[in-house]
Amino acid sequence: GFAFAPAADRHLRVQAVGGTFHPEAEWCLGIAHPVEASRGMTASGDAWSPGWFDLPLPRDGAITLVAHAEAEDPPADVIATAGAARGAQVEAALVRAGFAPADAFGRQLAIAAQAYLVARDGGRTVIAGYPWFLDWGRDSVICARGLVALGLGDDVRRLLAVFGRFESAGTLPNCIHGEDASNRDTSDAALWYGVACEDLVAQLGEEVYTTDVGGRTIADVLAAIARGYRNGTPNGIHLDPASGLVWSPPHFTWMDTNHPAATPRTGYPVEIQVLWIRLLRQLVRLGIASDGEPWADLAERAAASFEQLYWLPDEGFYADLLIAPAGVPAEAAIADHALRSNNLFAVSLGIATG
């Protein structure tokens, strides 16, 4: 096999038991990535090929190919039992998910989901998408709902504990690079956190809210998020007191991109209000006291404003956005009449009626 070590702390070792490895190291430099370049990403990159394996496979036989990035080779017994361990993991995933044997697609989803759950400091987090993204706040707490449905409640509890520890002034990280959680350019991640908690409670019970999160509880984190949004977060998210609705800065929602700029949604996006009202009602159900206006009163005002300002009677759907720069109240904003899938959150999360 071969070893590739571009840095002291970066090792890739690949080896086979049986067959032959033919070393023919080759670098290919400056490969253009025109599509990525059009999105503002890295415009070119290098690639390396170490050689190639010739692995004749006898009838009813097997050859083991081992690839790892650890400092030391895995023990022989780990290699020998890897296939059986993987089989047991797959079977356990299928049992947890409860899909019928004939549901091939559902069963494949249950297996594939395992690949995105990873360890972080004794907890759990989610890879938002291979190969570009690591753990992103929005993606982690949204997909937590699917993980709960797959019977992975214990993993989701650990995931919520990890992200709860990163809560600061009402915000959660937009993305995490190692221990760097300074990128907090998201207005929906912290609000989706509350919905994920509700789904997990439905499976594991109310004790989820007492889960330890670095000296606090998950309930404490939810209250901190609501206070941060009400008082204004350091990254610019703030409440419009008159309407009770939440203003969101540029490129802080899932649809509002910078590379290239598309569907700009600066102002009061519809799903942010839905998630905000849902969080407020959650705090009311939990009996969490407010250090200012009661959460119930704020929720009632926000819900009334939502119906008054977003519903487009001529079109028969909700405005996707109330367009407004910072400091402009929701009532003075301009309704965006685009019909987008964000409307569905008002229905699926129980804010729309009738």
Side-chain angles (χ1 to χ4, degrees), residues 28-33 42-47:
C28 189
L29 306 178
I31 302 171
H33 304 317
T42 303
S44 65
D46 305 332

Side-chain angles (χ1 to χ4, degrees), residues 18-352:
T20 306
F21 175 70
H22 300 272
E24 292 183 8
E26 177 185 6
W27 275 102
C28 189
L29 306 178
I31 302 171
H33 304 317
V35 175
E36 285 79 0
S38 72
R39 298 169 179 164
M41 303 170 75
T42 303
S44 65
D46 305 332
W48 178 68
S49 172
W52 54 282
F53 285 94
D54 181 9
L55 305 175
L57 193 61
R59 182 183 296 274
D60 298 326
I63 286 181
T64 300
L65 185 73
V66 179
H68 69 89
E70 306 296 335
E72 303 291 338
D73 288 340
D77 61 324
V78 171
I79 296 174
T81 59
R86 172 63 177 166
Q89 182 185 29
V90 166
E91 185 58 32
L94 296 176
V95 170
R96 276 195 308 267
F99 289 116
D103 187 355
F105 181 60
R107 291 165 70 87
Q108 185 57 45
L109 287 178
I111 296 169
Q114 316 296 312
Y116 295 85
L117 268 170
V118 296
R120 172 180 276 279
D121 299 330
R124 283 285 185 271
T125 184
V126 174
I127 297 298
Y130 296 104
W132 298 114
F133 300 116
L134 297 176
D135 29 2
W136 285 57
R138 173 191 300 123
D139 303 67
S140 293
V141 292
I142 288 178
C143 81
R145 309 185 71 201
L147 297 175
V148 169
L150 289 173
L152 292 165
D154 289 337
D155 288 298
V156 172
R157 185 200 291 263
R158 295 166 69 185
L159 182 150
L160 293 175
V162 166
F163 275 91
R165 285 196 292 272
F166 281 110
E167 184 278 327
S168 177
T171 66
L172 292 185
N174 182 44
C175 58
I176 308 173
H177 295 282
E179 291 302 309
D180 180 4
S182 59
N183 182 339
R184 293 175 178 263
D185 294 354
T186 171
S187 56
D188 48 2
L191 300 177
W192 275 115
Y193 185 91
V195 177
C197 290
E198 288 188 279
D199 279 21
L200 187 59
V201 165
Q203 182 177 97
L204 299 184
E206 294 286 329
E207 66 273 11
V208 166
Y209 289 119
T210 65
T211 300
D212 178 68
V213 181
R216 298 185 295 171
T217 66
I218 282 181
D220 294 331
V221 172
L222 293 173
I225 291 169
R227 288 194 301 269
Y229 276 53
R230 181 197 62 195
N231 299 337
T233 66
N235 59 355
I237 302 167
H238 61 266
L239 185 74
D240 169 33
S243 66
L245 302 177
V246 171
W247 186 85
S248 175
H251 74 83
F252 269 43
T253 64
W254 78 277
M255 192 178 274
D256 188 357
T257 65
N258 270 352
H259 299 295
T263 56
R265 305 181 75 224
T266 304
Y268 302 85
V270 63
E271 79 277 15
I272 299 301
Q273 316 317 317
V274 169
L275 292 164
W276 169 238
I277 295 166
R278 177 95 172 210
L279 174 63
L280 293 173
R281 291 175 175 175
Q282 185 179 15
L283 296 179
V284 172
R285 288 196 304 273
L286 291 173
I288 296 177
S290 169
D291 57 354
E293 179 182 10
W295 300 126
D297 294 351
L298 183 53
E300 185 176 345
R301 183 163 74 257
S305 298
F306 180 79
E307 283 298 329
Q308 176 189 350
L309 299 176
Y310 283 84
W311 183 249
L312 305 172
D314 292 339
E315 286 89 341
F317 55 81
Y318 291 102
D320 181 68
L321 170 73
L322 302 182
I323 307 168
V328 172
E331 193 167 6
I334 299 172
D336 181 350
H337 288 227
L339 174 60
R340 298 189 178 124
S341 55
N342 305 303
N343 258 255
L344 296 175
F345 290 128
V347 178
S348 65
L349 296 178
I351 304 304

